[in-house]
Amino acid sequence: AQSVSQHNHHVILSEAASLELGCNYSYGGTVNLFWYVQYPGQHLQLLLKYFSGDPLVKGIKGFEAEFIKSKFSFNLRKPSVQWSDTAEYFCAVNAGTGGFKTIFGAGTRLFVKA
Amino acid sequence: EPEVTQTPSHQVTQMGQEVILRCVPISNHLYFYWYRQILGQKVEFLVSFYNNEISEKSEIFDDQFSVERPDGSNFTLKIRSTKLEDSAMYFCASSKGQKDEETQYFGPGTRLLVL
């Protein structure tokens, strides 16, 4: 069955600490991979996406993610977090062309201490 | 930048009542979706819609649910007889459906509370 696993449910960091959120997926065939962010009280926003090409993708707000096909992983990273990064982060995958459902991980709630 | 919009932002209803959640997808998008997120849980796929018919639906999307595109801009989700467990945030999404580059853009959600 198709699934997305996020390794941590809650992460607490101090400002300027480095961040890495793990994501593994189980999905047959070619996939598109996404990280969405949900700030408190707000809706899902696309942080970054991978379709093909360079497996290291850069997104908004200094985030990046690396697709490692052999490990079925798409981990999210940021070298130095800020208090404003406090949010819930969702890894997601879909299978290419339109009409396919996007499958979400359970989310990782990040809290950054000022 | 074009956005998906949803109305209402919040809705409170009595169990057994019908609710209609409305969405205006991005104008040049062809595929439309509904997802829900029960408080504290993951975002779950409900249904996808293309060319005026359902493309795919999950096991959550039972006979109580229906979707419609009544005109050229709106996309609605109807819950015929709401249950307590339907309380959730409902997200609409849309996508162009381009081959190999399928990004779904999400609306701000409608928070539904069934009493």
Side-chain angles (χ1 to χ4, degrees):
Chain A
Q2 305 151 356
S3 66
V4 177
S5 298
Q6 292 184 236
H7 305 165
N8 309 96
H9 293 298
H10 295 87
V11 173
I12 301 174
L13 295 173
S14 298
E15 274 195 313
S18 65
L19 170 72
E20 181 160 2
L21 302 182
C23 172
N24 287 90
Y25 66 94
S26 169
Y27 208 101
T30 303
V31 294
N32 297 326
L33 297 157
F34 308 85
W35 276 96
Y36 286 89
V37 60
Q38 189 174 30
Y39 296 103
Q42 297 188 29
H43 64 287
L44 290 165
Q45 298 174 41
L46 183 66
L47 202 54
L48 49 78
K49 58 190 177 186
Y50 171 80
F51 295 132
S52 62
D54 189 345
L56 184 63
V57 293
K58 295 192 183 299
I60 60 173
K61 304 184 182 186
F63 286 90
E64 64 180 31
E66 185 176 12
F67 171 52
I68 302 178
K69 189 174 182 180
S70 60
K71 295 185 178 180
F72 297 91
S73 70
F74 190 56
N75 293 353
L76 181 71
R77 299 195 291 250
K78 185 171 183 178
S80 176
V81 295
Q82 300 171 310
W83 176 80
S84 58
D85 293 324
T86 295
E88 189 155 18
Y89 293 82
F90 294 92
C91 181
V93 59
N94 71 28
T97 54
F100 283 92
K101 60 186 175 185
T102 294
I103 297 174
F104 286 80
T108 297
R109 199 177 291 274
L110 171 67
F111 181 74
V112 180
K113 298 184 290 184
Chain B
E1 188 175 328
E3 293 181 336
V4 176
T5 59
Q6 290 183 241
T7 54
S9 58
H10 295 78
Q11 177 136 11
V12 180
T13 190
Q14 296 290 325
M15 191 170 56
Q17 295 295 305
E18 175 183 285
V19 295
I20 298 176
L21 309 183
R22 291 182 168 79
C23 168
V24 178
I26 295 173
S27 62
N28 63 344
H29 284 187
L30 302 176
Y31 290 84
F32 315 112
Y33 311 82
W34 284 101
Y35 292 81
R36 78 171 186 191
Q37 184 182 26
I38 294 172
L39 189 64
Q41 298 186 25
K42 68 166 72 175
V43 178
E44 301 172 291
F45 169 79
L46 292 178
V47 65
S48 61
F49 190 86
Y50 170 72
N51 199 27
N52 285 317
E53 59 183 32
I54 291 173
S55 307
E56 185 178 6
K57 60 182 181 179
S58 71
E59 60 274 11
I60 302 167
F61 194 87
D62 61 22
D63 292 342
Q64 294 297 316
F65 292 89
S66 62
V67 289
E68 192 179 27
R69 189 158 162 81
D71 52 42
S73 59
N74 290 284
F75 179 52
T76 61
L77 174 70
K78 182 193 289 186
I79 309 175
R80 265 181 269 282
S81 178
T82 50
K83 304 187 284 285
L84 296 176
E85 53 266 37
D86 293 327
S87 295
M89 180 74 92
Y90 288 81
F91 293 104
C92 174
S94 69
S95 68
K96 286 185 181 178
Q98 291 177 323
K99 186 177 180 182
D100 298 332
E101 287 199 1
E102 174 62 0
T103 297
Q104 294 175 19
Y105 293 89
F106 286 78
T110 294
R111 189 174 294 280
L112 175 66
L113 177 62
V114 182
L115 302 177

